Amino acid sequence: MDFEIVNGAVASLETECLVIGVEEGAVLSPSAQALDQASQGYLSNLINNGDIKGKSAESLLLQKINGVAAKRILLVGLGKADERHDRNYKKVVKTISGAIKSLSLKEITIALDGLASKTPDTYRQVRHLVEWTTAELYQYDRTKSKKADVYAINKIAILLSDKDTEEGEGALVDGTAIANGMNVSRDLGNLPGNICTPTYLAGQAKELANEYDSITCEILDEDAMENLGMGSLLSVGHGSAEPSRLIIIKHNGGEPDAQPHVIVGKGVTFDTGGISLKPGAKMDEMKFDMCGAASVMGTMHAIAEMNLPINIIGVIAAAENMPGSKATKPGDIVTSMSGQTIEVLNTDAEGRLVLCDALTYVERFKPKTVVDIATLTGAVIGALGNSVCGLLSNDEELCSELSSAGDYADDRAWRLPLLDEYQELLDSNFADIANIGGPAGGAITAACFLSRFTKAYRWAHLDIAGTAWNSAGKEKGSTGRCVPLLSQYLLNQAADEMTDDE
């Protein structure tokens, strides 16, 4: 499916379906006014008859109209001007995508005149249209014997004025790359644990390196990790027949000596809880426990496709947590790569155990920033629900940059406190640190644990346990978050570094 920008008189556009907006109160948008004039008041008559009122995502499909070149017209309600936030815009996109599916359209032209969002930003509006439409048309059928019927759509055109065309075309490039990255992330997250193993993730990283000249990758096996002293990461996979892996993916877009930005993903490809076994209900969803790793992989795809002019390193700590005969037991003590010893009070708090060694490992890159992404705690869902990610950081500026990027990308994160008062909850009588801090403030104490391994650099943690997948009905599956947030953050970093070089 291709996206393109088109110009010209809206009434003269030849297309299978032309989408135009109607504002609440039955107010015609500029494109709708042009069609109304070309059709000698046809749309005005419809509105006067009350056929459409312009409420958000309301729609009315019209067949061929005299004076208009398009075969069909889809009127879409835009709602009230002061209520056109991202949630309403998504509803509009969902309505348009529904028409693409139900009408089996091969191509469609969208002319919303920049009115679908209350934010007057052509780049943002066009990019979101690309990302959200792609997400609505996503289908997973990798593990089904009967493959999904492929949607007929092969072109989506967006009408812009001449002066907005260049900005719109830039949005198409970035939006397509981010949408593709989200699809990569969703595919990985949706795969079952018997396919998407640590070895499989390593293979996907090698394929990415083969696809893009800017990408190189290195895979550390268990022997290499043992030589580095990664006793914490390795302890998680002891009960599994699947070997653990540390996956390093480098995008070499900047100067060779420029400090890289690093993103680190939790890649627990299936989490039974280990000896601290989880309840059976919904355990199937623990295939999603590698969605942090999927976010890293999807983001590396996106930034490679955009060819960002900075150095970025994606690191994936991959393991499978199983209750085998050699599994780590509650009360065991492991030694991390940093030298700190950890009392494992609960083997189901394993994400922090794989991440802490990865976070120590990335010190060697002398990173400019480090962001880890993990389905780390159920506690973050109790705190924030399923709409926003948890954000904790040891650096105010980095935290602000991530929060702003999330707002712009509509992939939001909300800051939680990372205070010393929570650190003492991790005290252990038998090791330097315990891997859990009790039921209170679980998302915070998990981040406090990670903070013990990130003192050498600017670091932030994104807890995506509430946002990485949907659990209900036909919507069940991976969401592809936080690919938009991370991509926007890295786009901003690239823009800032280019400005500094001028």
Side-chain angles (χ1 to χ4, degrees), residues 46-340:
L46 288 174
I47 284 176
N48 292 336
N49 290 335
D51 290 356
I52 186 168
K53 297 179 174 60
K55 292 184 178 180
S56 179
E58 181 186 13
S59 66
L60 178 64
L61 182 66
L62 307 174
Q63 298 298 327
K64 176 67 178 170
I65 300 173
N66 290 336
V68 178
K71 292 180 180 179
R72 302 177 186 86
I73 307 296
L74 181 65
L75 301 179
V76 178
L78 302 177
K80 296 178 181 178
D82 60 349
E83 294 178 353
R84 291 175 203 159
H85 42 65
D86 291 339
R87 186 163 175 265
N88 271 14
Y89 189 10
K90 278 186 175 178
K91 289 180 180 179
V92 170
V93 172
K94 192 176 186 72
T95 296
I96 297 169
S97 301
I100 290 172
K101 297 174 188 177
S102 64
L103 298 173
S104 297
L105 298 173
K106 293 181 180 178
E107 52 92 16
I108 190 171
T109 301
I110 301 171
L112 297 179
D113 303 311
L115 297 175
S117 170
K118 65 181 181 181
T119 304
D121 182 334
T122 298
Y123 171 87
R124 185 175 190 266
Q125 288 194 32
V126 171
R127 200 180 96 186
H128 280 169
L129 182 58
V130 172
E131 293 173 22
W132 297 342
T133 305
T134 304
E136 287 292 331
L137 298 177
Y138 172 84
Q139 298 181 94
Y140 174 82
D141 61 7
R142 166 77 183 274
T143 47
K144 293 185 177 183
S145 60
K146 187 180 186 305
K147 301 305 179 185
D149 293 332
V150 178
Y151 296 126
I153 192 76
N154 55 49
K155 184 178 76 172
I156 296 178
I158 302 168
L159 178 67
L160 293 180
S161 66
D162 290 341
K163 69 180 181 63
D164 290 332
T165 294
E166 184 176 356
E167 194 171 4
E169 288 177 342
L172 291 190
V173 172
D174 294 346
T176 299
I178 294 168
N180 291 340
M182 290 182 71
N183 283 350
V184 167
S185 178
R186 294 178 79 175
D187 282 343
L188 288 172
N190 287 331
L191 284 172
N194 62 321
I195 294 176
C196 187
T197 63
T199 302
Y200 181 88
L201 285 175
Q204 294 300 295
K206 291 176 183 177
E207 288 188 16
L208 178 61
N210 290 334
E211 185 176 356
Y212 292 99
D213 292 339
S214 68
I215 298 288
T216 59
C217 83
E218 180 183 4
I219 312 298
L220 301 188
D221 62 16
E222 290 186 335
D223 288 340
M225 287 188 279
E226 187 171 354
N227 289 336
L228 288 168
M230 293 185 171
S232 183
L233 192 161
L234 290 171
S235 73
V236 174
H238 279 167
S240 174
E242 295 289 344
S244 301
R245 293 287 183 263
L246 188 73
I247 303 163
I248 303 101
I249 308 167
K250 296 182 179 180
H251 168 73
N252 306 295
E255 296 297 325
D257 59 347
Q259 285 182 282
H261 296 275
V262 178
I263 52 177
V264 180
K266 171 188 171 184
V268 177
T269 56
F270 194 83
D271 180 22
T272 65
I275 298 300
S276 305
L277 194 68
K278 292 177 179 289
K282 289 194 172 183
M283 193 193 284
D284 64 289
E285 295 188 7
M286 288 302 97
K287 71 177 185 177
F288 297 121
D289 210 23
M290 45 64 67
C291 282
S295 294
V296 169
M297 194 77 76
T299 301
M300 296 305 291
H301 268 268
I303 61 100
E305 188 172 333
M306 291 186 285
N307 197 23
L308 293 191
I310 56 175
N311 296 328
I312 302 165
I313 300 176
V315 176
I316 293 171
E320 185 181 71
N321 188 20
M322 298 288 285
S325 62
K326 296 182 180 180
T328 299
K329 305 173 295 298
D332 284 358
I333 294 175
V334 299
T335 302
S336 68
M337 184 182 177
S338 70
Q340 295 177 83

Side-chain angles (χ1 to χ4, degrees), residues 240-442:
S240 174
E242 295 289 344
S244 301
R245 293 287 183 263
L246 188 73
I247 303 163
I248 303 101
I249 308 167
K250 296 182 179 180
H251 168 73
N252 306 295
E255 296 297 325
D257 59 347
Q259 285 182 282
H261 296 275
V262 178
I263 52 177
V264 180
K266 171 188 171 184
V268 177
T269 56
F270 194 83
D271 180 22
T272 65
I275 298 300
S276 305
L277 194 68
K278 292 177 179 289
K282 289 194 172 183
M283 193 193 284
D284 64 289
E285 295 188 7
M286 288 302 97
K287 71 177 185 177
F288 297 121
D289 210 23
M290 45 64 67
C291 282
S295 294
V296 169
M297 194 77 76
T299 301
M300 296 305 291
H301 268 268
I303 61 100
E305 188 172 333
M306 291 186 285
N307 197 23
L308 293 191
I310 56 175
N311 296 328
I312 302 165
I313 300 176
V315 176
I316 293 171
E320 185 181 71
N321 188 20
M322 298 288 285
S325 62
K326 296 182 180 180
T328 299
K329 305 173 295 298
D332 284 358
I333 294 175
V334 299
T335 302
S336 68
M337 184 182 177
S338 70
Q340 295 177 83
T341 58
I342 303 165
E343 183 183 13
V344 182
L345 293 178
N346 188 321
T347 64
D348 193 24
E350 85 299 328
R352 63 203 75 182
L353 297 178
V354 301
L355 285 173
C356 70
D357 279 346
L359 291 169
T360 299
Y361 179 84
V362 303
E363 285 185 30
R364 65 188 55 209
F365 302 127
K366 297 180 173 53
K368 194 165 188 179
T369 62
V370 176
V371 181
D372 78 72
I373 311 97
T375 52
L376 204 63
T377 67
V380 79
I381 304 174
L384 298 174
N386 300 104
S387 297
V388 299
C389 306
L391 169 62
L392 301 99
S393 180
N394 64 10
D395 186 273
E396 293 290 331
E397 184 179 1
L398 175 58
C399 193
S400 177
E401 290 171 348
L402 285 166
S403 182
S404 296
D407 288 345
Y408 192 86
D410 189 49
D411 187 10
R412 292 177 174 84
W414 195 263
R415 189 174 189 182
L416 296 171
L418 189 69
L419 303 176
D420 289 340
E421 288 84 344
Y422 293 94
Q423 292 283 359
E424 62 189 38
L425 296 174
L426 296 169
D427 289 347
S428 166
N429 291 343
F430 307 106
D432 297 330
I433 184 174
N435 80 320
I436 58 170

Side-chain angles (χ1 to χ4, degrees), residues 452-475:
R452 308 257 184 127
F453 302 86
T454 61
K455 295 178 180 178
Y457 46 72
R458 299 170 62 208
W459 158 80
H461 162 65
L462 291 168
D463 193 332
I464 63 171
T467 60
W469 75 92
N470 294 317
S471 294
K474 292 184 179 180
E475 296 297 320

